[in-house]
Amino acid sequence: MFKRLLGIGLSLTLLMTMVACGAGDTAPGSSLPAGEGPGLTVATLNQLDAWPAYAALQGDQAKGYDLKSYQTGIRLVEDGALEKWQIGDVGAVPALLGVLNRHLTIVGVAAEESDANWLLTKAGHPILTEKTGGLAGTSELVRGKTIYVTQASSGHALVHAYLTHLGLTEADVNLQYGSPKECLQALGDGTADLVALWAPYTYQAESIAGGVEQVAKGSDLGIHQYMLYVANSTWAENNKEVLATFLADVSREAAGIDELADKDLVAFFKDYAGATLTEDQVATDRQTHRLLSLEDQLTLMENGDLARGMDEVARFLTQTNRFADRNYTELAEKNFGIDTSYLKAAQALQ
């Protein structure tokens, strides 16, 4: 479905086509009601790194703040191109599509989540019987198998890294695209041999009859997977103080998350994400889904680590013919859309 991009930028039509081809659900997961008057809309996925925005905006509804949850990042980015929100919290893969489309700027780093993206199979699957480089699976065992993944997601990058680890490409397997819920269903009914999921869907997979086993996670394969704060580029330029205040607020909430009891985050997942997690699962998610302080964000953006992570994403999209070489070059020349000025302005507010 993805065709090599021949244009300089990514068209909105392509973003919408990706959604139609199983990249995301057709409706957001949930939304907190906005207050009266024109407001600021913040878009997130329904996962742990949404907590700081959820907590920061809870008391500001009267000011017209609106917090909207999405099931998948590509759907979130598509709505960003339609100017349905001003600030987003989304994975690096869909974020880079928005940067290429010239409507998004990367303004912060919400979380490091390479331990929260998992490649899973059913317990007892033959793939588990042999290993390559310490990870379950061999080229012979995986070749021709059916893998379900959400297109243009961190899970998609994980699948690519795993296949590369085995000396395979997407052409060597039966790669199917679906929403996280469709991936869960495919794993449960045996349609899929492997699925790539992120938290909290990874915890939902634990309830599949017969059990599941983790084959690999992002950190096992040496890839860097970040959740990024992005903003509509034009809006950000015209509303620097508003954006800086938001970044200061969410960074403060992220720094205080260790003070929360697990039961408080269980309630958050239920209310905002519509997900039922146990306190043990929340405790695991805290460890695998690391929220970042403002200082940690700036360090990643200034020392080149974030740019190197985005370079990995751009190379993944280029190697799998989702980007043309000219797209990669354009992104590299603009430092993948990373702009530290808004975080620095937020730091001045602290």
Side-chain angles (χ1 to χ4, degrees):
M1 186 281 305
F2 262 124
K3 294 183 178 179
R4 175 174 282 273
L5 303 179
L6 299 178
I8 294 178
L10 178 69
S11 70
L12 176 58
T13 300
L14 179 58
L15 284 171
M16 296 178 73
T17 302
M18 289 161 60
V19 174
C21 291
D25 295 345
T26 57
S30 63
S31 180
L32 295 179
E36 297 180 358
L40 170 67
T41 299
V42 180
T44 78
L45 298 191
N46 52 352
Q47 55 189 52
L48 183 63
D49 50 89
W51 162 258
Y54 176 88
L57 302 185
Q58 282 283 345
D60 290 329
Q61 297 304 307
K63 298 179 182 178
Y65 281 35
D66 179 28
L67 187 60
K68 183 175 291 188
S69 170
Y70 287 82
Q71 300 293 326
T72 62
I74 192 60
R75 185 66 180 186
L76 184 155
V77 169
E78 186 221 6
D79 272 6
L82 296 172
E83 299 185 354
K84 293 185 178 182
W85 51 263
Q86 292 77 45
I87 302 173
D89 170 11
V90 70
V93 177
L96 201 57
L97 297 174
V99 172
L100 182 59
N101 196 43
R102 300 180 181 175
H103 74 271
L104 293 185
T105 299
I106 296 171
V107 299
V109 188
E112 202 289 323
E113 59 161 10
S114 60
D115 284 335
N117 287 275
W118 298 355
L119 192 63
L120 298 170
T121 190
K122 291 284 287 289
H125 195 287
I127 286 175
L128 299 169
T129 60
E130 296 184 47
K131 293 185 177 183
T132 299
L135 298 179
T138 65
S139 59
E140 292 79 11
L141 290 172
V142 174
R143 189 185 306 274
K145 295 298 187 291
T146 298
I147 302 176
Y148 268 67
V149 65
T150 300
Q151 191 168 204
S153 68
S154 297
H156 197 172
L158 172 62
V159 169
H160 173 72
Y162 178 69
L163 292 175
T164 301
H165 171 75
L166 298 180
L168 300 174
T169 69
E170 291 183 2
D172 296 315
V173 297
N174 177 23
L175 192 63
Q176 297 293 318
Y177 300 122
S179 69
K181 291 181 179 179
E182 291 169 335
C183 292
L184 281 168
Q185 181 178 347
L187 184 61
D189 65 21
T191 302
D193 296 289
L194 293 162
V195 301
L197 292 166
W198 58 87
Y201 300 107
T202 48
Y203 304 118
Q204 295 176 23
E206 293 175 354
S207 64
I208 289 176
V212 297
E213 294 286 343
Q214 184 188 104
V215 174
K217 57 184 183 295
S219 59
D220 292 334
L221 293 158
I223 57 176
H224 301 87
Q225 298 188 296
Y226 299 107
M227 291 298 296
L228 304 173
Y229 286 122
V230 297
N232 177 283
S233 299
T234 301
W235 177 89
E237 290 175 2
N238 295 325
N239 294 273
K240 186 168 185 176
E241 184 176 350
V242 175
L243 178 51
T245 298
F246 170 82
L247 291 171
D249 287 345
V250 293
S251 296
R252 182 181 62 252
E253 297 293 346
I257 196 170
D258 289 342
E259 299 174 9
L260 289 176
D262 289 336
K263 66 178 181 180
D264 295 326
L265 290 175
V266 168
F268 155 72
F269 275 109
K270 185 68 173 179
D271 177 47
Y272 185 61
T276 301
L277 272 63
T278 66
E279 290 189 26
D280 285 344
Q281 288 171 331
V282 164
T284 299
D285 206 28
R286 287 177 184 263
Q287 296 174 0
T288 60
H289 211 132
R290 186 170 64 91
L291 306 189
L292 300 179
S293 68
L294 192 152
E295 290 72 22
D296 287 342
Q297 294 177 62
L298 273 174
T299 296
L300 281 172
M301 296 172 78
E302 292 185 325
N303 70 7
D305 282 351
L306 179 59
R308 282 185 282 274
M310 299 307 293
D311 185 80
E312 289 177 5
V313 172
R315 289 181 184 278
F316 148 62
L317 291 167
T318 304
Q319 291 166 5
T320 55
N321 295 322
R322 272 84 183 191
F323 278 5
D325 290 340
R326 70 181 69 180
N327 302 132
Y328 172 83
T329 300
E330 177 189 347
L331 288 166
E333 288 177 347
K334 64 167 62 175
N335 197 33
F336 306 100
I338 299 167
D339 188 336
T340 62
S341 66
Y342 301 101
L343 268 182
K344 289 178 179 178
Q347 191 176 43
L349 297 174
Q350 291 188 330

